Amino acid sequence: MSITVRMPALAAGATEAAVQTWLVAVGETVDAGQPIVEIETEKAIVEYEAEEAGTVAALLVEPGASVAVGEPIAVLAGRGESVEAAAPAPASTTPVDSATPMPTPARLFASPLVRRLARERGVDLTSVRGSGPNGRIVRRDLDAFGVAEPVRSSHDAPESPTPEAEPVRASISVSASASVPGAGFRDEAHTPMRRAIARRLAESVTTVPHFFLTADCRVDELIDLRRRINTRTAVKVSVNDIVLKAVAAAMTDVGEANAIWTTDAIRRFDAVDIGVAVSIPGGLVTPVLRDVQAKPLGAIAAEVRDLADRARAGRLKQHELEGGSFAVSNLGMYGTKEFSAIINPPHAGILAVGAASARPIVSAEGDLGVATVMTVTLSADHRVMDGALAAQWLAAFVVHVENPLGLLV
């Protein structure tokens, strides 16, 4: 019996996604759990795995095409079934690998995703040269077309308006500074990822009651411990890896903080899964590190590095972007001393980590000295954590960071 592969709902609230690249071909045998296609969501390009074993009978969607969630994208022949018997009739679908006639010059050959992006950007697709199969206009063609547009200064001679340009002009809000003579500017169209980030963060600050707590941590022992570890191990441990371990230890100490808000209840977790903010070209993703409380520092370091590398290469899997109750964002590597971060729902908190620097301190005995200090700011969801609970968690975190040897046992 044939198996229909449908476009999955890879992101909460998503109604469509785009096929980026097929990883299999017609006639190829696939196993359950084998990646078969790369799908572009608003946040990243992720691999989608076959849920059942079979033989690829048809690929129903061209690379670059946007498809509604739940629509068929491929057909697999089941056990004992021939590819020919499982393939859909030509009248109902047009498989990627079938012999498709060359389009006539009058036909505009572009994927639904490209058509939608062109409408958003005000681009006339008849002026874009397609580099895809049979001259199809794919997303990279549209991106290249947008980048190639000239920078216009406010004192450039205005062009005669065209019917296609009017909706774009009406939809762009230009600041007063753009009208100053000699002020050059360029409008860069929003990418789907940037739109998704903007939407989620706007929803977060308007629907999640944030409050913030700040603490200074003395990290001389932590830095010394990291140096000693890295002289003895092949996998190098970063300050951020130790911070992640300290976050998990604090969650173990203050279990009530390891929770998220849902419509009907506060969901409390047994394991500590932590999102790690990773900057990638065009945006930010937060892959989730699982069971941090049970992992040694070396394993945390290796896994974080792997997640970050695959995030920048667009090779994360969807389940790696989901779950967790908390996140860590570290801008200390850029020299930022202190900042506040916006919670990434459904997480109930995020820790903003600043740079460690030498600062004057006063000892308990009243003596003046110098210590390496790192400022951290906890952003907490007040629906899940009251002020006292958040303060208790932050105090536990500081204890673990300032006494890092305990994180190794």
Side-chain angles (χ1 to χ4, degrees), residues 106-287:
R107 182 183 176 191
L108 185 61
F109 204 31
S111 71
L113 175 62
V114 168
R115 292 177 186 271
R116 176 172 62 80
L117 292 176
R119 288 194 302 270
E120 293 175 355
R121 302 178 186 184
V123 174
D124 181 1
L125 287 177
T126 59
S127 61
V128 180
R129 182 183 298 273
S131 63
N134 299 327
R136 172 183 288 270
I137 301 172
V138 295
R139 182 173 177 179
R140 62 175 175 269
D141 302 323
L142 193 63
D143 291 339
F145 183 86
V147 170
E149 292 181 358
V151 176
R152 291 195 176 278
S153 173
S154 59
H155 52 69
D156 289 342
E159 298 178 354
S160 299
T162 62
E164 294 81 10
E166 287 300 324
V168 180
R169 187 175 296 114
S171 64
I172 296 177
S173 175
V174 181
S175 65
S177 62
S179 62
V180 177
F185 63 89
R186 178 176 64 212
D187 291 329
E188 294 184 357
H190 301 309
T191 64
M193 179 180 291
R194 181 51 58 187
R195 289 183 184 276
I197 291 172
R199 185 185 68 248
R200 286 182 61 82
L201 294 184
E203 289 175 355
S204 179
V205 297
T206 55
T207 62
V208 177
H210 287 59
F211 72 101
F212 308 94
L213 300 177
T214 300
D216 289 331
C217 311
R218 295 179 60 171
V219 292
D220 296 278
E221 288 189 29
L222 184 151
I223 292 172
D224 182 62
L225 177 64
R226 172 180 176 259
R227 179 188 57 77
R228 286 186 286 151
I229 290 174
N230 286 343
T231 60
R232 292 173 170 82
T233 60
V235 177
K236 301 306 179 184
V237 173
S238 70
V239 169
N240 201 56
D241 298 328
I242 302 176
V243 166
L244 289 169
K245 186 67 175 177
V247 167
M251 286 293 182
T252 301
D253 293 344
V254 188
E256 288 182 272
N258 188 23
I260 62 173
W261 178 268
T262 72
T263 304
D264 301 316
I266 292 177
R267 181 171 298 164
R268 304 196 183 278
F269 298 97
D270 298 324
V272 182
D273 299 340
I274 305 172
V276 183
V278 177
S279 177
I280 63 174
L284 179 80
V285 294
T286 312

Side-chain angles (χ1 to χ4, degrees), residues 42-97:
E42 291 179 320
K43 298 179 67 175
I45 297 173
V46 299
E47 292 181 346
Y48 181 64
E49 301 173 350
E51 296 182 1
E52 300 181 57
T55 303
V56 180
L59 305 177
L60 307 177
V61 180
E62 289 275 5
S66 182
V67 179
V69 170
E71 287 296 309
I73 59 174
V75 176
L76 305 181
R79 185 186 300 273
E81 186 178 22
S82 68
V83 168
E84 292 75 14
S92 60
T93 57
T94 307
V96 172
D97 287 12

Side-chain angles (χ1 to χ4, degrees), residues 8 10-11 23 32-39 41 43-50 285-290 306-323:
L10 294 179
L23 305 177
Q34 177 182 336
I36 59 174
V37 62
E38 292 178 343
I39 295 175
T41 70
K43 298 179 67 175
I45 297 173
V46 299
E47 292 181 346
Y48 181 64
E49 301 173 350
V285 294
T286 312
V288 178
L289 190 66
R290 314 286 178 182
D306 173 64
L307 287 172
D309 289 345
R310 289 192 290 112
R312 297 185 183 103
R315 293 294 180 267
L316 288 174
K317 298 180 180 180
Q318 183 61 29
H319 70 85
E320 293 172 327
L321 294 167
E322 298 174 338

